[in-house]
Amino acid sequence: MLTCESITRPSPRSTGVARTLRCVVALVAVSLSAVLVGPGIADAGLGAGATPSFPSVVTVGATGLTAAIQLENNNTDPNTTSTVCNFGDAFPCPSGFDTGITLIPSCGQLVGFSECAPGGADPGVFQVSATAIGEVGSACAGMTFAVTLIDAAFGRLRFTPQPPGAHVVLPASGSVCKINFTFDVLKAPSVDQNPATPGVQTVQVVDNTQHDGGSITASGRGTSNGTTVERATPTIATTASANVALGAGTLIDNVIVSGRVNPQTGATVDFRLYGPNDAACSGTPVFVSLGVPYPLAGGAVTSAAFTPTVAGDYRWVASYSGDANNAPVSGACNDANEITVAT
């Protein structure tokens, strides 16, 4: 769906007004343009675009993944060159309104013109590198960008060309600046941007403002197709107690879960014990020890004890519940170290 709005505000250089038109196609990886027409100009040919590019699927705990934001010159004649505004630039950049080149790495709910809704703000999902580099072959090839957090509530980042005072210049219509950086996946999103799709989805929002050196300024915002964040997959190691003689001991099982990333409270382990006549662990367990809390710090947890009254091979199966950042994991029937013989 295409939606537009016209925003009117005083022009810095006259008693007239300047008007911004924003057009948005929601939930599609698009480059969106908005045109601000200065006083006395009937039809500006300046257009700005912006597109974030993140992997479509990532996993909690992954590090050094590559991503980019692309700034685009969408001008039409007679406009040619565009200069991208930095935060704090003087007119024709809209000082006090423009925040420079910005990126919200994770948003679970969009509103209006591809803006991140307050309820969708989801900072802390991704950790973006402190610097970014202009891609070879693009208009900002080799340029370094400092990446700084400017809005903790939304996790909004600003990309500032270096050295201070440098600007991205897009020399002609169709030219682009592609800014590459890396990021780590710290946790799963707390807000699912697309509940109808399996997994947990989040989108990115990028902004920039451009001017032609005169009195015309264009603002462009874009959103990504979205990124599915999958939970980390831990591993489970289990060790049953030693063989016992009937009437001379009890059976227990021990579990250690490894490879968890940013674990959350509330995870548990379920222990199930199958009797001598159930070699496939397909029947009803002869004993269960369910909901044993698994500590945030990790380590071993132990089931409650069972006293056998029938001789034979007893088989344990243990299952870890998982949490927001870590998927469930379970042992299997007849795993090594999970059979105890009662004689």
Side-chain angles (χ1 to χ4, degrees):
M1 180 179 68
L2 178 67
T3 309
C4 300
E5 72 171 352
S6 180
I7 303 172
T8 302
R9 51 193 179 82
S11 171
R13 287 189 172 178
S14 78
T15 57
V17 295
R19 194 174 299 275
T20 299
L21 178 65
R22 297 180 183 271
C23 298
V24 172
V25 183
L27 302 183
V28 180
V30 290
S31 175
L32 309 178
S33 298
V35 177
L36 175 65
V37 182
I41 298 177
D43 185 13
L46 188 67
T51 306
S53 177
F54 271 60
S56 59
V57 180
V58 299
T59 303
V60 174
T63 60
L65 302 179
T66 58
I69 57 178
Q70 183 166 292
L71 312 180
E72 303 147 7
N73 177 333
N74 295 330
N75 295 348
T76 58
D77 290 336
N79 298 86
T80 55
T81 301
S82 287
T83 299
V84 180
C85 293
N86 295 332
F87 173 69
D89 283 351
F91 183 85
C93 291
S95 181
F97 172 78
D98 181 63
T99 58
I101 305 166
T102 65
L103 169 72
I104 297 177
S106 179
C107 180
Q109 180 185 2
L110 298 173
V111 65
F113 300 91
S114 290
E115 296 181 13
C116 186
D122 209 351
V125 174
F126 303 129
Q127 176 67 54
V128 173
S129 56
T131 58
I133 302 293
E135 182 172 294
V136 173
S138 75
C140 56
M143 179 176 283
T144 299
F145 296 80
V147 182
T148 55
L149 179 68
I150 61 170
D151 182 355
F154 283 83
R156 184 181 280 108
L157 304 168
R158 179 183 293 139
F159 289 68
T160 305
Q162 299 298 305
H167 285 80
V168 172
V169 177
L170 304 173
S173 178
S175 60
V176 301
C177 163
K178 188 173 183 181
I179 306 171
N180 296 320
F181 53 91
T182 63
F183 69 98
D184 302 337
V185 186
L186 303 185
K187 69 182 187 73
S190 57
V191 183
D192 191 350
Q193 190 274 330
N194 189 5
T197 299
V200 183
Q201 284 75 41
T202 191
V203 298
Q204 295 80 40
V205 181
V206 63
D207 272 294
N208 82 125
T209 302
Q210 302 172 22
H211 68 85
D212 66 347
S215 58
I216 306 175
T217 306
S219 296
R221 173 182 296 148
T223 60
S224 69
N225 277 330
T227 298
T228 298
V229 182
E230 298 181 340
R231 291 186 287 180
T233 304
T235 59
I236 188 169
T238 53
T239 305
S241 54
N243 298 340
V244 298
L246 291 179
T250 59
L251 310 183
I252 60 171
D253 196 20
N254 298 281
V255 162
I256 296 177
V257 181
S258 304
R260 298 182 305 156
V261 178
N262 192 11
Q264 306 297 298
T265 58
T268 60
V269 175
D270 289 344
F271 296 89
R272 293 176 172 84
L273 179 64
Y274 295 86
N277 297 320
D278 193 356
C281 306
S282 58
T284 302
V286 296
F287 175 75
V288 295
S289 179
L290 305 179
V292 178
Y294 197 81
L296 279 176
V301 296
T302 303
S303 69
F306 172 74
T307 302
T309 58
V310 176
D313 294 348
Y314 288 81
R315 295 168 173 83
W316 288 98
V317 177
S319 303
Y320 169 71
S321 68
D323 59 36
N325 295 325
N326 299 279
V329 62
S330 178
C333 187
N334 293 304
D335 274 350
N337 304 318
E338 282 290 85
I339 300 175
T340 299
V341 180
T343 60

